Amino acid sequence: MALRAVRGATQVTADDREVVLAASRELVEKVMAENGLAQDDVVSIVFTATRDIVSVAPALAARQLGFHEVALICAQE
């Protein structure tokens, strides 16, 4: 079994729950597609956000996409 780490980043125009979640969902979907990954290939995802993003934990976006068996971690940069 191969173990790989991939990284992605996004920006939001406002600290608004729906804006943060939409950008986070888009990022997760893009990283998965561009790396040819399926949810079963993912062990964990670490989300970081700057201090000004407090409206929602970005990891919720991954749960909304069906990542229910994946460890999700949120941290502040």
Side-chain angles (χ1 to χ4, degrees):
M1 174 193 306
L3 179 62
R4 294 177 179 83
V6 295
R7 182 191 177 284
T10 191
Q11 290 181 300
V12 294
T13 56
D15 180 29
D16 174 82
R17 178 184 172 88
E18 291 309 314
V19 171
V20 172
L21 290 175
S24 299
R25 283 190 303 267
E26 179 182 23
L27 176 62
V28 170
E29 288 174 330
K30 188 171 187 174
V31 166
M32 296 293 290
E34 288 188 9
N35 290 281
L37 299 171
Q39 286 187 16
D40 288 344
D41 298 322
V42 180
V43 174
S44 65
I45 303 174
V46 177
F47 293 87
T48 62
T50 54
R51 287 182 168 170
D52 58 327
I53 305 301
V54 297
S55 62
V56 65
L60 176 58
R63 292 284 187 240
Q64 292 174 332
L65 292 172
F67 286 82
H68 300 293
E69 302 299 322
V70 175
L72 303 177
I73 302 164
C74 287
Q76 186 180 68
E77 289 184 2

